[in-house]
Amino acid sequence: MTTESDFLVIGSGIAGLSVALKLAQHGSVAIITKKEEAESNTNYAQGGIAAVIAKDDSFEIHISDTLKAGAGLCNKDAVNTLVQQGPNRVNELVKWGTEFSRKTDSTRNGFDLGREGGHSKNRIVHARDLTGREVENSLLDAIKAHPEIRIYEEHCAIELITEHHIRRKSLPSSADTVHCWGAYVLDTASGSIKMFLSKYTILATGGCGQVYLHTTNPKIATGDGIAMAFRAGARIANLEFMQFHPTTLFHQKADSFLISEAVRGFGGVLKTKDGAKFMENYHSMGSLAPRDIVARAIDAELKKRGENCVYLDITHLDADALIDRFPHIYAKCLSYNIDITKQPIPVVPAAHYMCGGVETDINGRTNIANLYACGEVACTGVHGANRLASNSLLEAVVFSHQIYRNILDQKDRISTVHFPEIQAWDDSGTFNQEEWILIQHDKEEIQSLMWDYVGIVRSNLRLQRAQRRVNLICNEIEKFYKKTKITEGLLELRNLAFTAKLIINCALHRKESRGLHYTTDYPETDDENWQKDTVVYRRNKNHKILIIQD
Ligand code: FAD
Ligand code: SIN
């Protein structure tokens, strides 16, 4: 089956939904999403969206905080764009129906502005501690009311369609750059493989936290976008910068439930088991230092003391105010018999956010023609070596807008372009194999390896060990993939393994410590040689990796 549309959006988080709403003004939009429509990292976001709204704040200060967190690797033009568009994009979300928490305070334009690590002002708009759910639901409501948008749930993208898939006789004569024409997609309900053809394709597949054993990310975050784009020939940048969130609930059954940084912004203090504050020994901003510093400090304290967790103490604050501001965190902790108004919360770091991704320019364009990327899957350059808290929902809406504007400049193409003839997906010679145990085992092995050897503190020895093992697993998966009827689990495993491999390659390549990448072999930052992005791309059709620095 083939579906044709002007725009194909892959992913239904904040990035995909906001770009779809804009593009729908100029053509038909198909959104495919691999699970139920709301299931995304966006849906779990707690803290909020950073934007310059308060009277005592300014673009300069937000830019400066972002650059400081980014440890010398941010793209300054991208950061300027991010920050300067912030207030407009927040107002646009309000127009689309998002209800943020309010406060009667004219110096803050009526918003209740929170504070998070690395920010020197209160600038986080939020919907209590369920910001993501509020944003996701309001965008989905707006999408459903739009006649030009159709959303396909349980549709998992397999590969991007490029020149490689065009029937030779229909190839345009001067095709020397790679173009994207949509994607092959698995309809998981029926098991059929469909072609979604489009004049423009927007990759909005989110992050890859599931590469790690402990992560705040839901199960969908398996790096599909990074792996698909790499295989299609896109440039991928800065994958060594995986952000570990310092505070997730330490409880066997809690599945790395996030305790928002906004809790520290509200007055929560990090302490060791014996009740001593420790963050002041690591940074002048104490418990509100940038995330990389807090996560490393916790890691160091745990190793030094041989303890399993540290504690986030908010018991000194007014209980009613706490419950009102953090109803979700309060209820969740209480379900594990932790009353946060009376007991310090046991916390540990977990993998949270991929700062690198598919390299784009300031307009969201990748190096593949007609392929754009936005949201967590993209590397726009705004985060550099470490993302400032709550800059990522903002990045998603700002660069969705950039994409919309860029495509609008090529409006004439939308009505004139014709699709080439694309080969149907060929799965001859593949069989159904009841090998779920292999998939589960490989996934857990990769997640454990990545957690143990490619975590908060790295070394050459650990990275090389991880590389040898992950390469082996990748090769086995590739062989299995070629002879097996595709399932969603197999696709995710293949992408997860490949993303892990790329992360390790990038981490081994960077011979210094910077931002989120800390290695005991090169503990210093080396601006002279390494103030550059790490870029990987496909060298040949066997997916051999070529690393360059830009
Ligand atoms: P996502 O929201 O993850 O959406 C990706 C979509 O792509 C999903 O619909 C998924 O199903 C789909 N998809 C993936 N692969 C495929 C495929 N192969 N085929 C089809 N569909 C596919 N950031 C902030 O700025 N502020 C916060 O307060 C904040 N809190 C957070 C709290 C948590 C617990 C987490 C996990 C993250 C938080 N973040 C926060 C980060 C932020 O939520 C994400 O970076 C952001 O939501 C990413 O949005 P996205 O649209 O790019 O991706
Ligand atoms: C949080 O609420 O701590 C998450 C914020 C973010 O990831 O930006």
Side-chain angles (χ1 to χ4, degrees):
M1 194 196 116
T2 304
T3 301
E4 291 184 5
S5 58
D6 293 318
F7 309 108
L8 172 65
V9 175
I10 309 180
S12 61
I14 186 171
L17 297 179
S18 57
V19 81
L21 274 172
K22 296 201 161 190
L23 291 173
Q25 298 168 45
H26 299 286
S28 56
V29 182
I31 304 176
I32 57 161
T33 188
K34 68 180 175 180
K35 297 279 185 213
E36 178 266 321
E37 59 189 8
E39 189 56 1
S40 57
N41 274 6
T42 301
N43 206 32
Y44 297 87
Q46 294 183 358
I49 306 180
V52 174
I53 285 171
K55 290 240 158 60
D56 69 342
D57 199 359
S58 70
F59 289 154
E60 289 70 31
I61 308 177
H62 189 183
I63 289 169
S64 156
D65 289 346
T66 303
L67 294 177
K68 247 186 243 162
L73 270 204
C74 298
N75 172 329
K76 289 190 183 144
D77 288 343
V79 173
N80 286 344
T81 303
L82 175 90
V83 169
Q84 285 170 10
Q85 285 194 24
N88 285 346
R89 300 286 79 81
V90 166
N91 286 327
E92 206 161 53
L93 284 170
V94 172
K95 270 194 223 130
W96 280 328
T98 308
E99 290 185 17
F100 292 112
S101 296
R102 297 285 178 165
K103 210 174 197 173
T104 333
D105 181 347
S106 60
T107 64
R108 294 175 172 193
N109 228 342
F111 287 100
D112 178 25
L113 298 177
R115 181 88 163 251
E116 289 177 19
H119 288 275
S120 43
K121 295 285 175 190
N122 280 46
R123 63 166 73 100
I124 319 290
V125 295
H126 61 94
R128 294 192 172 178
D129 57 352
L130 284 165
T131 309
R133 193 176 297 175
E134 173 60 24
V135 170
E136 181 75 20
N137 287 342
S138 61
L139 289 177
L140 280 171
D141 285 348
I143 292 272
K144 283 174 191 156
H146 205 298
E148 285 293 333
I149 307 177
R150 172 134 187 230
I151 187 158
Y152 297 80
E153 293 181 298
E154 316 285 341
H155 278 62
C156 185
I158 305 169
E159 293 293 6
L160 297 169
I161 296 173
T162 59
E163 264 64 16
H164 180 62
H165 306 102
I166 297 178
R167 284 187 205 281
R168 287 295 133 197
K169 57 181 174 355
S170 70
L171 195 67
S173 52
S174 65
D176 44 7
T177 32
V178 179
H179 294 72
C180 181
W181 293 104
Y184 292 107
V185 176
L186 172 71
D187 174 347
T188 46
S190 68
S192 61
I193 294 175
K194 303 174 176 174
M195 266 197 280
F196 277 74
L197 299 186
S198 61
K199 297 168 188 170
Y200 295 92
T201 302
I202 294 92
L203 205 51
T205 46
C208 58
Q210 284 292 325
V211 163
Y212 286 86
L213 188 62
H214 302 293
T215 177
T216 61
N217 291 191
K219 300 269 182 273
I220 52 106
T222 48
D224 297 7
I226 291 175
M228 282 189 293
F230 177 87
R231 290 193 293 263
R235 287 161 59 97
I236 314 288
N238 290 351
L239 294 187
E240 65 272 39
F241 300 117
M242 167 55 80
Q243 182 169 70
F244 292 83
H245 197 291
T247 56
T248 67
L249 184 60
F250 178 69
H251 187 284
Q252 238 180 0
K253 295 196 176 134
D255 213 8
S256 302
F257 173 74
L258 183 75
I259 306 295
S260 173
E261 207 155 287
V263 174
R264 279 176 279 139
F266 204 68
V269 178
L270 284 164
K271 294 181 176 172
T272 47
K273 193 177 179 182
D274 54 11
K277 294 180 187 174
F278 61 89
M279 272 313 302
E280 282 64 21
N281 304 334
Y282 293 88
H283 196 276
S284 58
M285 291 176 91
S287 292
L288 270 182
R291 263 182 211 174
D292 56 329
I293 292 163
V294 183
R296 262 199 307 280
I298 295 176
D299 188 70
E301 289 295 323
L302 296 184
K303 283 182 178 144
K304 196 160 75 189
R305 292 162 181 274
E307 288 166 2
N308 291 328
C309 63
V310 295
Y311 292 84
L312 181 54
D313 190 358
I314 41 174
T315 54
H316 54 289
L317 300 172
D318 177 68
D320 290 339
L322 266 177
I323 297 168
D324 183 53
R325 174 67 180 81
F326 301 107
H328 181 53
I329 294 174
Y330 172 73
K332 188 77 173 188
C333 290
L334 204 57
S335 74
Y336 296 114
N337 295 322
I338 301 165
D339 181 344
I340 64 172
T341 65
K342 299 198 176 92
Q343 297 159 260
I345 312 168
V347 290
V348 283
H352 182 61
Y353 181 86
M354 173 44 81
C355 293
V358 181
E359 189 186 69
T360 71
D361 67 9
I362 197 117
N363 294 314
R365 286 187 305 197
T366 70
N367 60 309
I368 297 182
N370 311 327
L371 177 68
Y372 291 74
C374 56
E376 191 166 340
V377 71
C379 181
T380 60
V382 298
H383 306 309
N386 181 29
R387 174 179 67 102
L388 187 66
S390 285
N391 262 357
S392 110
L393 295 173
L394 179 64
E395 182 198 31
V397 280
V398 166
F399 287 88
S400 296
H401 184 73
Q402 291 294 101
I403 291 175
Y404 156 73
R405 286 212 317 213
N406 188 265
I407 291 181
L408 204 59
D409 288 344
Q410 314 158 46
K411 212 163 66 197
D412 293 345
R413 179 178 180 271
I414 303 173
S415 52
T416 53
V417 81
H418 297 288
F419 293 115
E421 244 184 90
I422 307 292
Q423 291 168 2
W425 185 261
D426 180 10
D427 64 354
S428 52
T430 60
F431 303 94
N432 282 319
Q433 310 221 9
E434 300 297 325
E435 296 290 6
W436 179 243
I437 190 71
L438 286 186
I439 293 177
Q440 193 54 27
H441 186 271
D442 281 356
K443 186 173 169 189
E444 285 168 8
E445 197 175 341
I446 295 165
Q447 289 172 326
S448 298
L449 277 170
M450 292 299 286
W451 184 255
D452 291 339
Y453 301 149
V454 197
I456 297 172
V457 175
R458 300 162 180 180
S459 71
N460 280 342
L461 189 81
R462 289 178 187 197
L463 291 173
Q464 283 157 356
R465 183 173 278 222
Q467 188 178 46
R468 280 193 297 275
R469 284 160 171 74
V470 169
N471 280 352
L472 192 72
I473 299 171
C474 271
N475 291 343
E476 283 175 2
I477 292 171
E478 214 50 37
K479 276 190 204 144
F480 185 66
Y481 177 80
K482 285 196 177 119
K483 57 181 189 185
T484 306
K485 286 251 179 287
I486 285 176
T487 62
E488 193 188 30
L490 179 56
L491 286 176
E492 288 188 332
L493 173 68
R494 183 181 184 226
N495 291 329
L496 184 139
F498 208 83
T499 305
K501 180 168 162 168
L502 292 177
I503 293 174
I504 297 168
N505 271 271
C506 290
L508 266 170
H509 182 71
R510 184 170 289 280
K511 296 187 174 39
E512 63 156 357
S513 289
R514 179 185 297 274
L516 298 160
H517 175 71
Y518 182 82
T519 160
T520 51
D521 288 297
Y522 312 99
E524 304 300 327
T525 302
D526 175 1
D527 277 342
E528 202 181 320
N529 295 306
W530 293 96
Q531 199 171 6
K532 299 166 183 170
D533 292 333
T534 308
V535 180
V536 289
Y537 63 89
R538 203 185 68 171
R539 194 179 209 168
N540 60 22
K541 72 179 175 37
N542 292 327
H543 308 153
K544 201 162 172 56
I545 298 166
L546 183 69
I547 299 206
I548 53 167
Q549 275 199 293
D550 262 8

